[in-house]
Amino acid sequence: MRLASKFILIVAGILSVTLALNAYFFLQSQNRLLEQQLEERGRVLGHLIALISPEAILGLDFLSLDDYAREVSRQRDVVYGVIVDNDDQPLTSYVNGDDARVRRGLGVDGPAPDHLPPPRMQKLVKRLAALPDVMPIEFPIVHDGHQLGRLRVGISRAELAAQAREQLVQQFAIYAAIILFLSAAIYLVFKFSVMHPVKRLIEVSQDLGRGEYTLVPVNSRDELGRLGETFNAMTLEIQREQAKLHYQANYDPLTAQPNRMLAIERLQQEIRSAHRQQQRFALMFIDLDDFKIVNDTMGHAVGDQLLAHVSAHIRSRLREEDTLARLGGDEFLVLLPRLAQPNEAREVARRLLEAVSEPVSLDGHEVVVHCSIGIALYPDDGDTVESLMANADNAMYQAKKPGRPPICFFTAEMNAQVRERLQLEQELNKVLARGGLQLAFQPIFRADDGAYVGAEVLLRWLHPEQGFISPATFIPLAESTGQIVAIGKWVMREAGRQLRSWLDTGLGPGYLAVNISRVQLREDLEQLVHEVLEDNRLSPHSLELEITENILLDDHQQINDVLGRLHGRGLRLSLDDFGTGYSSLSYLRRFSFDTLKIDRSFVSPLCEDAEAAALVRAIVAMAHSLSLKVIAEGVESRAQLEFLKGLGCDYLQGYLLSHPLDADHFTAFLSRIAHEPAPWGDCPLSLTHG
């Protein structure tokens, strides 16, 4: 039932009860008034008869008394009139036989007699006086102070009841009209003053539930008007909050460009549109090169400013209908709809390369960054959001590989590479359980006299089908999947076990240099090293930890604390692949290293490239000035050996001196140098090649 109907029923009920009570009290008062009138008329008539009847009673003039009774009985509303003596014996015999009540009292159906004997008259009067619609009245008949008898009169209430019924009908008709009128008036007022605003409020509430922000018209200052104003204020606040939430959910707060969620939504829309119109579009993934260096050297705040500038530069080179989105970190997505030819995407990519590489002034420094762009085309490279994004991402990572151009279109061969990588990842999960990993040891010699001092521990994976897999292939994969933690523990424990085995047989393996992954530094490396040294009863000087510069980019303070504690326990620390990272000198000053290893990329052109020779000479001089020993990797010719020896390089390592050796061959190598010590210059190279 609606609110208006309930309200009208309540109002009508209240009015009905109120008017019914009013009618009841009115009829009661009217009945009392009519009874008073009847009684008054009877009294007037009774007094008149009482005045004229004493002489007839005294004179026993029964005819006159019957005449008096007849006059009284024939009066309007009089049922009976009888004169009785003091003993209540009737002195008159006349009754109105035409009165229906008299006939019923006498028990006759037809005409009743007009005169009755005293006993019958007495019974009739008693019976009539007991009727509910007869009002009995008595008037004494007095003469000279003495009561001679009484006039008994029965007044009919029939007319009173008829009048009461008529008045009741009239009252109910009037009250019904009043109730209907008031109900209709109240309904109309309620409908337009209350229900119409409430209905409108319900409608706009439903609109609000559907996400439509409609305001309620406010035409009054009453409670409903204030309710409408409150609702409008709430609607506007919800609209502002929804707009804020929508922006936060769909836009990147740093660059003000769409985020991944909105980019995927637009990509879905573009796929549907391109499918209907048989059009082609391009999806680009853009990743900044070496952006982490900016964060680490200049701070994340400056890095955020750089991302905002790069985003603005990219946006300025795109069309209005193109979409630029930030996927997270330093990755961006560009959606180019309606392409006629794939070369159009290449031209846009070239413009974006130029936009990204524009110099940006940040915090008083001019910063230049570059990027790699992967491109996937619809429908050639996929017809779903997942396939297009995966292929564009794959192409982008191909563009980031060394020696590859910064713009790379997706090809089917890339999918094959991805499948191979996934297969390799699955097999890498089981490599430890299957015993597929092996250690190799490449000797390190002192440069001045060629004496053997130690060896670098290298990891080899012997695949049952593919043979030996290069560490350059599976080590990055293990780092990205987190498997490098378990593999690194195995390498450290196996190296310690092998070192103990050689020591127990009386061989002199020197120290073993073990490469440490950046993931391992985040784990409990100290506990692992402690367990290896304790379990194998090794001196801390028997192990050297080799760390590459890219590890030092992560968290200077944390890494410095870990390495500082390990170095304090006596472990040797070596900075591997020196010169291939960034800010190398700052790292040498910040961390406590014992040895610096010159990367093979500097040693290889040493004798043909004057600049390379000058650079190696500077590295050796700088390391010695910092009290660091220098190891040159990748020594493959006599000329390189002599040149490095002449520069004062401390240690040498390379294929010229020895290939990496498996455990058995390295044991034989240690046995030979133990019985026949000789400088590397006098060792037959064929004996040291593994």
Side-chain angles (χ1 to χ4, degrees), residues 464-628:
E465 298 176 359
Q466 302 181 32
F468 280 104
I469 298 177
S470 170
T473 300
F474 72 85
I475 290 298
L477 180 60
E479 288 183 337
S480 65
T481 60
Q483 296 167 333
I484 192 64
V485 176
I487 293 175
K489 288 183 178 179
W490 181 86
V491 170
M492 183 69 72
R493 295 184 187 280
E494 185 66 15
R497 187 197 63 79
Q498 188 65 66
L499 189 59
R500 181 72 262 168
S501 174
W502 288 324
L503 290 173
D504 289 342
T505 58
L507 298 177
Y511 69 88
L512 293 184
V514 181
N515 289 276
I516 299 299
S517 166
R518 65 195 311 164
V519 181
Q520 288 178 271
L521 275 173
R522 303 192 192 105
E523 301 295 327
D524 198 353
L525 179 62
E526 295 177 76
Q527 181 64 27
L528 174 63
V529 171
H530 174 75
E531 291 176 358
V532 170
L533 295 177
E534 289 293 324
D535 294 345
N536 297 285
R537 306 184 311 280
L538 299 175
S539 167
H541 295 287
S542 61
L543 287 180
E544 180 175 281
L545 304 182
E546 289 196 2
I547 301 167
T548 57
E549 285 183 277
N550 60 354
I551 293 179
L552 306 179
L553 292 172
D554 289 342
D555 187 342
H556 293 165
Q557 187 59 46
Q558 179 191 9
I559 294 174
N560 194 25
D561 292 343
V562 173
L563 296 181
R565 288 192 293 269
L566 290 173
H567 192 265
R569 295 185 59 182
L571 270 80
R572 300 158 57 91
L573 299 180
S574 175
L575 182 60
D576 196 12
D577 300 334
F578 182 81
T580 60
Y582 304 90
S583 305
S584 301
L585 182 59
S586 65
Y587 294 139
L588 293 176
R589 295 173 58 189
R590 187 178 296 115
F591 299 99
S592 300
F593 291 104
D594 300 286
T595 307
L596 183 150
K597 299 188 74 171
I598 302 176
D599 187 69
R600 66 182 66 249
S601 62
F602 295 102
V603 175
S604 179
L606 192 61
C607 299
E608 295 81 16
D609 189 339
E611 292 183 359
L615 182 58
V616 171
R617 184 180 293 107
I619 291 174
V620 172
M622 177 187 64
H624 287 166
S625 68
L626 296 174
S627 301
L628 299 178

Side-chain angles (χ1 to χ4, degrees), residues 32-52:
R32 287 195 298 270
L33 180 61
L34 289 175
E35 284 190 3
Q36 291 174 1
Q37 291 176 355
L38 289 174
E39 187 176 357
E40 186 64 27
R41 194 167 68 221
R43 289 184 183 280
V44 172
L45 184 61
H47 283 301
L48 179 62
I49 298 300
L51 289 175
I52 64 176

Side-chain angles (χ1 to χ4, degrees), residues 33-80:
L33 180 61
L34 289 175
E35 284 190 3
Q36 291 174 1
Q37 291 176 355
L38 289 174
E39 187 176 357
E40 186 64 27
R41 194 167 68 221
R43 289 184 183 280
V44 172
L45 184 61
H47 283 301
L48 179 62
I49 298 300
L51 289 175
I52 64 176
S53 62
E55 288 80 2
I57 294 175
L58 292 175
L60 301 177
D61 187 359
F62 294 108
L63 293 177
S64 297
L65 291 175
D66 277 342
D67 289 338
Y68 295 154
R70 182 183 296 107
E71 290 298 326
V72 172
S73 299
R74 290 181 176 179
Q75 294 296 316
R76 184 171 61 88
D77 298 328
V78 177
V79 178
Y80 65 87

Side-chain angles (χ1 to χ4, degrees), residues 252-553:
D252 175 53
L254 180 61
T255 62
Q257 299 299 331
N259 60 13
R260 177 182 290 271
M261 182 181 298
L262 184 56
I264 292 175
E265 180 180 336
R266 291 188 179 180
L267 181 55
Q268 289 172 334
Q269 295 174 354
E270 187 58 33
I271 289 175
R272 290 192 291 267
S273 175
H275 177 72
R276 288 194 305 267
Q277 302 177 17
Q278 298 296 308
Q279 290 181 337
R280 173 179 291 178
F281 68 84
L283 179 67
M284 296 183 180
F285 270 36
I286 303 175
D287 185 81
L288 302 186
D289 299 334
D290 303 321
F291 176 74
K292 184 174 178 54
I293 301 172
V294 177
N295 277 338
D296 291 334
T297 57
M298 304 181 68
H300 288 275
V302 174
D304 290 345
Q305 295 179 34
L306 177 61
L307 289 174
H309 282 285
V310 168
S311 172
H313 290 171
I314 295 176
R315 181 70 259 182
S316 66
R317 304 297 177 93
L318 296 175
R319 301 170 299 180
E320 185 67 28
E321 61 268 27
D322 298 337
T323 294
L324 169 64
R326 184 187 176 206
L327 300 180
D330 58 345
E331 286 190 351
F332 294 88
L333 174 148
V334 173
L335 178 61
L336 303 176
R338 296 187 296 279
L339 289 182
Q341 298 294 331
N343 282 337
E344 294 182 19
R346 187 183 298 277
E347 291 301 320
V348 173
R350 288 175 180 170
R351 294 201 304 268
L352 298 185
L353 283 176
E354 296 175 356
V356 171
S357 61
E358 290 181 0
V360 177
S361 179
L362 298 174
D363 199 23
H365 301 278
E366 188 175 83
V367 179
V368 177
V369 293
H370 301 282
C371 67
S372 301
I373 301 178
I375 305 174
L377 301 175
Y378 173 89
D380 310 64
D381 303 328
D383 56 3
T384 65
V385 171
E386 293 77 12
S387 61
L388 286 171
M389 292 189 69
N391 293 339
D393 190 43
N394 194 1
M396 185 266 291
Y397 277 106
Q398 294 297 324
K400 293 184 76 69
K401 288 186 176 180
R404 297 293 298 269
I407 300 174
C408 182
F409 280 83
F410 174 79
T411 62
E413 289 75 13
M414 294 179 186
N415 264 341
Q417 295 175 2
V418 171
R419 287 193 295 269
E420 292 176 3
R421 184 179 184 274
L422 291 176
Q423 181 64 31
L424 200 63
E425 180 180 331
Q426 296 298 321
E427 295 177 355
L428 190 58
N429 287 325
K430 308 172 185 177
V431 67
L432 287 176
R434 294 177 176 176
L437 295 180
Q438 298 178 5
L439 294 186
F441 307 87
Q442 187 171 29
I444 301 173
F445 300 91
R446 200 162 40 228
D448 56 358
D449 59 4
Y452 167 79
V453 293
E456 179 180 1
V457 179
L458 303 174
L459 185 61
R460 297 291 183 262
W461 179 8
L462 181 59
H463 193 275
E465 298 176 359
Q466 302 181 32
F468 280 104
I469 298 177
S470 170
T473 300
F474 72 85
I475 290 298
L477 180 60
E479 288 183 337
S480 65
T481 60
Q483 296 167 333
I484 192 64
V485 176
I487 293 175
K489 288 183 178 179
W490 181 86
V491 170
M492 183 69 72
R493 295 184 187 280
E494 185 66 15
R497 187 197 63 79
Q498 188 65 66
L499 189 59
R500 181 72 262 168
S501 174
W502 288 324
L503 290 173
D504 289 342
T505 58
L507 298 177
Y511 69 88
L512 293 184
V514 181
N515 289 276
I516 299 299
S517 166
R518 65 195 311 164
V519 181
Q520 288 178 271
L521 275 173
R522 303 192 192 105
E523 301 295 327
D524 198 353
L525 179 62
E526 295 177 76
Q527 181 64 27
L528 174 63
V529 171
H530 174 75
E531 291 176 358
V532 170
L533 295 177
E534 289 293 324
D535 294 345
N536 297 285
R537 306 184 311 280
L538 299 175
S539 167
H541 295 287
S542 61
L543 287 180
E544 180 175 281
L545 304 182
E546 289 196 2
I547 301 167
T548 57
E549 285 183 277
N550 60 354
I551 293 179
L552 306 179
L553 292 172

Side-chain angles (χ1 to χ4, degrees), residues 97-372:
D98 296 332
D99 192 290
R101 284 177 291 266
V102 172
R103 290 196 299 272
R104 287 194 301 271
L106 293 175
V108 296
D109 295 330
D114 292 337
H115 295 276
L116 297 176
R120 195 174 181 185
M121 175 65 78
Q122 187 178 21
K123 292 180 180 179
L124 177 63
V125 171
K126 187 176 181 179
R127 188 178 293 119
L128 292 176
L131 294 176
D133 60 341
V134 174
M135 181 174 62
I137 306 175
E138 291 186 358
F139 302 98
I141 300 175
V142 181
H143 181 72
D144 293 335
H146 298 285
Q147 182 172 322
L148 302 178
R150 296 187 304 275
L151 173 64
R152 300 181 68 179
V153 180
I155 305 298
S156 173
R157 290 190 176 94
E159 183 178 354
L160 177 65
Q163 290 179 357
R165 286 193 297 270
E166 182 180 354
Q167 290 177 355
L168 182 62
V169 171
Q170 292 176 354
Q171 286 291 328
F172 274 111
I174 293 173
Y175 290 163
I178 292 174
I179 291 174
L180 290 176
F181 173 76
L182 290 178
S183 298
I186 293 173
Y187 173 78
L188 293 176
V189 172
F190 187 80
K191 178 180 179 180
F192 290 101
S193 299
V194 178
M195 287 308 302
H196 185 72
V198 170
K199 183 179 179 181
R200 182 57 180 160
L201 191 61
I202 293 173
E203 291 175 351
V204 297
S205 298
Q206 293 172 342
D207 293 342
L208 184 61
R210 293 190 296 267
E212 301 174 4
Y213 303 100
T214 307
L215 299 182
V216 180
V218 179
N219 301 317
S220 64
R221 302 296 299 175
D222 56 10
E223 287 79 1
L224 286 174
R226 290 197 294 272
L227 178 61
E229 292 176 350
T230 303
F231 183 86
N232 289 342
M234 180 185 70
T235 300
L236 293 175
E237 183 63 24
I238 292 176
Q239 186 178 15
R240 286 191 292 268
E241 288 299 321
Q242 286 292 333
K244 181 180 178 181
L245 291 175
H246 179 270
Y247 182 86
Q248 292 175 345
N250 293 280
Y251 288 87
D252 175 53
L254 180 61
T255 62
Q257 299 299 331
N259 60 13
R260 177 182 290 271
M261 182 181 298
L262 184 56
I264 292 175
E265 180 180 336
R266 291 188 179 180
L267 181 55
Q268 289 172 334
Q269 295 174 354
E270 187 58 33
I271 289 175
R272 290 192 291 267
S273 175
H275 177 72
R276 288 194 305 267
Q277 302 177 17
Q278 298 296 308
Q279 290 181 337
R280 173 179 291 178
F281 68 84
L283 179 67
M284 296 183 180
F285 270 36
I286 303 175
D287 185 81
L288 302 186
D289 299 334
D290 303 321
F291 176 74
K292 184 174 178 54
I293 301 172
V294 177
N295 277 338
D296 291 334
T297 57
M298 304 181 68
H300 288 275
V302 174
D304 290 345
Q305 295 179 34
L306 177 61
L307 289 174
H309 282 285
V310 168
S311 172
H313 290 171
I314 295 176
R315 181 70 259 182
S316 66
R317 304 297 177 93
L318 296 175
R319 301 170 299 180
E320 185 67 28
E321 61 268 27
D322 298 337
T323 294
L324 169 64
R326 184 187 176 206
L327 300 180
D330 58 345
E331 286 190 351
F332 294 88
L333 174 148
V334 173
L335 178 61
L336 303 176
R338 296 187 296 279
L339 289 182
Q341 298 294 331
N343 282 337
E344 294 182 19
R346 187 183 298 277
E347 291 301 320
V348 173
R350 288 175 180 170
R351 294 201 304 268
L352 298 185
L353 283 176
E354 296 175 356
V356 171
S357 61
E358 290 181 0
V360 177
S361 179
L362 298 174
D363 199 23
H365 301 278
E366 188 175 83
V367 179
V368 177
V369 293
H370 301 282
C371 67
S372 301

